[in-house]
Amino acid sequence: MSAHRVVAAIVGAVLVLGLLAVGGLVFAAYFFSSRVHVTRSGAHGGDQTVRVDTPFGRVRVEKNSEVDPELLDMPLYPEAKVVNEGHSARVDLDLDFADKAFRILAVEMETPDAFDKVVAFYRQAAPDFSFSEKAGGKVELLWQKGGQKKVIGIAERQGKTRIALANIGEPEGN
């Protein structure tokens, strides 16, 4: 067998393997994408829910102005009002392959009280939270235990103080 035939056989084998690999990837992509279903409900600009079902699990995102801040199980600044501009959300992630569930609840609130007064309230009301100052004059308080995390973000915006609250972790914890 000549060297040219050996090289041609090797090149042919590599091309066949390459075509099989590309075909396998195309089939896998088709298989996966045909089993992904996205469902959207709600009004544009208002309450919206998006649900994505995959072979590996589900994700559900609710952009909602109706998330009750009491569900966060965190201190709430007195007289602060929920911002009704779609700044509240609930995200549920269920991973079937890992038998895990994960939830994020988030609410943004607002008060006309001074930034320093709000920061002082949260430093006293949430002593178990770690405190840090961020760029742009923002403050973050963080509590973490196991897979559960709670975050309080405080910032000045348009002459008012905004308070972002988030509870992140397993659904039983929030």
Side-chain angles (χ1 to χ4, degrees):
M1 189 180 243
S2 75
H4 293 293
R5 285 188 176 179
V6 171
V7 169
I10 291 173
V11 168
V14 168
L15 285 174
V16 168
L17 288 174
L19 288 173
L20 287 173
V22 169
L25 288 173
V26 168
F27 176 75
Y30 172 76
F31 179 80
F32 182 76
S33 66
S34 68
R35 284 162 177 70
V36 172
H37 301 284
V38 178
T39 309
R40 176 178 280 156
S41 62
H44 182 68
D47 295 352
Q48 296 179 19
T49 300
V50 176
R51 182 182 168 112
V52 180
D53 292 298
T54 74
F56 305 112
R58 287 159 300 291
V59 176
R60 179 180 172 163
V61 179
E62 292 182 34
K63 180 181 169 189
N64 186 329
S65 60
E66 301 286 328
V67 174
D68 183 0
E70 296 288 336
L71 294 174
L72 298 169
D73 192 31
M74 299 167 70
L76 301 176
Y77 189 78
E79 307 297 321
K81 305 289 184 215
V82 173
V83 177
N84 289 323
E85 300 167 2
H87 290 266
S88 298
R90 174 180 168 167
V91 178
D92 291 308
L93 174 64
D94 295 314
L95 302 173
D96 294 340
F97 67 92
D99 197 29
K100 289 279 186 183
F102 186 74
R103 175 175 289 158
I104 300 171
L105 291 174
V107 174
E108 189 168 12
M109 302 180 78
E110 184 176 74
T111 179
D113 290 351
F115 174 83
D116 293 334
K117 183 177 178 183
V118 175
V119 170
F121 168 82
Y122 276 104
R123 287 192 89 153
Q124 183 177 4
D128 295 340
F129 285 58
S130 61
F131 177 89
S132 63
E133 293 185 35
K134 303 292 180 184
K138 299 176 183 175
V139 167
E140 181 181 279
L141 291 98
L142 173 68
W143 176 89
Q144 190 169 351
K145 183 176 181 182
Q148 196 72 24
K149 185 184 284 190
K150 297 180 183 190
V151 182
I152 303 168
I154 306 169
E156 286 185 282
R157 186 166 165 197
Q158 299 174 347
K160 296 184 178 183
T161 303
R162 287 276 176 114
I163 307 160
L165 305 167
N167 190 333
I168 306 160
E170 294 181 0
E172 301 81 42
N174 62 14

